[in-house]
Amino acid sequence: MILTDVQKEIVQKIDEQISNWKNWKWQIKNAVKDIETFEKLTGIQFDPEERLKIQKTLDNFPLSITPYYLSLIDTDNYQNDPVYKQAFPDPKELENCRFDMNDPLAEDKDSPIDLITHRYPDRVLFHVSNVCAMYCRHCTRKRKVGDVDNIPCREKITKGFDYIKEHSEVRDVLLSGGDPLMLPDDYLDWILTELRNIEHVEVIRIGTRTPVVLPYRITDDLVNVLKKHHPIWINTHFNHPREITSSSKEALEKLADAGFPLGNQSVLLSEVNDCPRIMKKLVQMLVKNRVRPYYLYQCDLSEGLTHFRTPVGKGIEIMESLRGHTSGFAIPTYVVDAPGGGGKIPVMPNYLISWSTNKIILRNYEGVITTYKEPDNYNNINCDLNCNECDLELKTNPAEEIKAIGLEKLLADHDSTISLTPENNERIKRRDD
Ligand SMILES: *Cc1c(COP(=O)(O)O)cnc(C)c1O
């Protein structure tokens, strides 16, 4: 077993065998939950005043870090460390702004029964676990963290099955939590078997951060249990390139080899990953490990997250730096989860600059402005949902051209200009060479 020096040191300080390191249950059992242990294992020392503030913070929002995730902290520069910031309490968590809410996404209001959030027409969130290996400081369900660290009983979960059975429109079930992969294998097997027995459930999704904070959870046994219930999609939660280690790569490889399409949901966090270069690196590393970046979330208005929030403009800047600059399949959709429960709303830079009834003006990632000519006589057929009687015979009738300048020129029919290019465009210069 290859452990880093830091990891070996941590195991020794816990007074345990190195061979335990990759045992996920051992990792959970030895999760760091107090300042003292944290100091002992990392060698970081807080001064008494700071300690008091941290203690007060974790009295409100508890702490839990797996030894593995702890081992990724750069102890020499921990104040700026992305792993430390995601895992260790910051007294700023107690500074609320007046827009912060206990349940900003109204998940509880959109919950017809315990454990189920039914927001969208054809899919539900099913909170099958209240447990997480590591308590993310930026958790959107911070209100719930640590208060009921237990596994919902079979009876409660069965009521969830009943709800899904009664709602034949539900074709996609998202297992979430907490972290569903914190459940024992046989319990997961039971849940998945029950869901698979519901005919209208086409897809099951699992949202888990275990590949990031507890990669040893992805055992061969677990993979064999999950594999029985395909199609299962798995979404994980990497926020920073530093979280992609040989252990997490191994976990992702196992999952990808077993045929689970892998996605990643990142949260945009101030002073953690609010940088176009960090994000580009992250998404490129993810696709290299067969993980498709799925969502980039704007940080929610949950209490305790104020210091993590960035302006939406930062997210747009990041999206600007990705589209065109790197592989399309490495680009996540940036979303704001609507406060009040409206669901995810995609946000992106404006590529559509102007339009008339027959042309649109677009700009690309380089700033090149171009036109897309709309179809001339687009006959919008009045759809009465009667496909048998639908007649799709379209006529063409080119429009006459008139004279114009600037952007107007691009919109005008009489001018054949199709694009405007800024001066000194490197790509165009290459063509002339
Ligand atoms: C995010 C979310 C979903 C899933 O949304 P997709 O866009 O399909 O990934 C479903 N229900 C709730 C409540 C959600 O927050």
Side-chain angles (χ1 to χ4, degrees):
M1 183 176 342
I2 304 157
L3 261 59
T4 65
D5 291 344
V6 175
Q7 292 173 342
K8 283 181 202 150
E9 208 181 309
I10 291 173
V11 185
Q12 279 154 10
K13 281 183 183 166
I14 300 175
D15 214 10
E16 289 266 8
Q17 307 278 326
I18 285 186
S19 59
N20 283 330
W21 184 261
K22 291 201 173 181
N23 177 335
W24 69 278
K25 288 181 181 162
W26 181 89
Q27 286 277 341
I28 290 170
K29 205 177 95 209
N30 288 285
V32 177
K33 299 193 178 242
D34 60 85
I35 306 173
E36 228 163 61
T37 314
F38 181 86
E39 287 183 325
K40 183 180 129 194
L41 298 187
T42 58
I44 294 170
Q45 289 290 324
F46 302 103
D47 63 51
E49 199 185 330
E50 209 177 353
R51 246 167 156 278
L52 260 170
K53 282 192 202 158
I54 295 167
Q55 186 57 50
K56 207 174 140 204
T57 311
L58 65 91
D59 289 343
N60 280 268
F61 300 117
L63 157 75
S64 178
I65 315 176
T66 55
Y68 163 77
Y69 199 62
L70 186 93
S71 76
L72 307 185
I73 295 174
D74 174 7
T75 51
D76 293 332
N77 187 21
Y78 70 92
Q79 281 109 332
N80 295 319
D81 185 79
V83 175
Y84 175 86
K85 285 181 181 230
Q86 290 181 69
F88 198 75
D90 185 325
K92 291 196 200 111
E93 289 171 35
L94 299 180
E95 295 167 15
N96 285 325
C97 99
R98 71 190 169 93
F99 297 101
D100 291 343
M101 289 175 266
N102 187 260
D103 175 20
L105 309 180
E107 287 188 323
D108 296 343
K109 278 188 207 136
D110 279 337
S111 175
I113 59 157
D114 246 16
L115 310 187
I116 296 255
T117 303
H118 194 171
R119 167 160 305 146
Y120 296 105
D122 67 342
R123 52 210 190 277
V124 293
L125 262 188
F126 194 0
H127 305 267
V128 291
S129 157
N130 293 320
V131 192
C132 281
M134 197 280 280
Y135 296 161
C136 303
R137 303 322 294 178
H138 56 275
C139 182
T140 188
R141 305 195 182 111
K142 216 169 161 90
R143 66 189 185 282
K144 294 189 168 169
V145 173
D147 65 350
V148 269
D149 233 7
N150 57 21
I151 294 169
C153 62
R154 279 178 192 257
E155 206 184 352
K156 233 174 166 183
I157 290 184
T158 302
K159 286 197 176 132
F161 299 146
D162 292 342
Y163 180 85
I164 295 165
K165 277 179 202 158
E166 285 158 19
H167 289 80
S168 56
E169 71 276 21
V170 176
R171 41 162 291 287
D172 177 5
V173 175
L174 284 80
L175 301 183
S176 180
D179 196 317
L181 296 191
M182 290 293 280
L183 301 176
D185 291 0
D186 58 343
Y187 208 66
L188 269 168
D189 198 13
W190 168 67
I191 292 172
L192 293 170
T193 305
E194 290 293 319
L195 287 174
R196 271 282 158 254
N197 282 337
I198 306 173
E199 215 169 306
H200 55 265
V201 174
E202 297 169 8
V203 178
I204 299 171
R205 289 195 249 179
I206 296 176
T208 177
R209 210 180 181 196
T210 54
V212 188
V213 298
L214 185 64
Y216 315 126
R217 175 63 184 107
I218 311 302
T219 60
D220 293 337
D221 284 348
L222 173 70
V223 168
N224 287 331
V225 164
L226 300 180
K227 234 164 77 173
K228 292 193 295 177
H229 307 284
H230 269 307
I232 290 181
W233 291 58
I234 295 180
N235 264 323
T236 185
H237 176 28
F238 286 90
N239 282 331
H240 195 280
R242 281 270 311 284
E243 295 171 328
I244 300 176
T245 64
S246 55
S247 296
S248 57
K249 281 180 186 172
E250 212 174 290
L252 295 173
E253 188 180 350
K254 273 188 193 177
L255 293 172
D257 284 348
F260 304 105
L262 300 177
N264 186 68
Q265 320 199 99
S266 293
V267 185
L268 183 55
L269 298 170
S270 172
E271 295 178 12
V272 173
N273 59 11
D274 53 337
C275 158
R277 294 179 66 190
I278 290 175
M279 273 301 176
K280 199 202 277 180
K281 182 85 195 159
L282 175 66
V283 297
Q284 288 173 343
M285 286 177 84
L286 286 168
V287 297
K288 215 170 141 189
N289 287 284
R290 288 182 279 173
V291 182
R292 171 85 155 85
Y294 181 45
Y295 281 134
L296 171 63
Y297 286 95
Q298 173 64 12
C299 187
D300 289 327
L301 292 167
S302 301
E303 285 165 1
L305 307 190
T306 311
H307 64 296
F308 278 127
R309 290 173 48 213
T310 66
V312 172
K314 182 49 79 173
I316 292 177
E317 182 191 342
I318 287 169
M319 296 312 291
E320 184 74 71
S321 77
L322 296 177
R323 176 63 61 193
H325 299 272
T326 195
S327 317
F329 61 83
I331 305 174
T333 305
Y334 176 43
V335 291
V336 178
D337 217 332
K344 298 171 184 73
I345 300 170
V347 195
M348 68 182 105
N350 290 326
Y351 293 100
L352 186 56
I353 298 179
S354 188
W355 62 95
S356 71
T357 54
N358 67 0
K359 274 190 190 178
I360 62 167
I361 303 184
L362 303 149
R363 60 95 179 171
N364 78 347
Y365 74 103
E366 300 165 306
V368 168
I369 297 176
T370 189
T371 53
Y372 175 83
K373 178 77 177 70
E374 299 276 36
D376 279 329
N377 276 311
Y378 178 61
N379 187 16
N380 191 33
I381 291 166
N382 183 27
C383 177
D384 54 4
L385 298 179
N386 188 353
C387 298
N388 289 331
E389 307 242 316
C390 182
D391 180 4
L392 287 173
E393 255 177 66
L394 299 175
K395 299 171 204 145
T396 53
N397 182 18
E400 272 195 18
E401 296 182 350
I402 45 159
K403 218 176 164 75
I405 42 165
L407 281 203
E408 192 193 359
K409 181 164 145 164
L410 296 179
L411 287 176
D413 294 309
H414 65 89
D415 198 301
S416 59
T417 311
I418 58 158
S419 68
L420 297 177
T421 308
E423 270 177 30
N424 301 322
N425 180 288
E426 291 292 335
R427 184 173 56 88
I428 302 295
K429 268 202 246 166
R430 270 201 302 277
R431 286 187 188 169
D432 295 336
D433 286 345

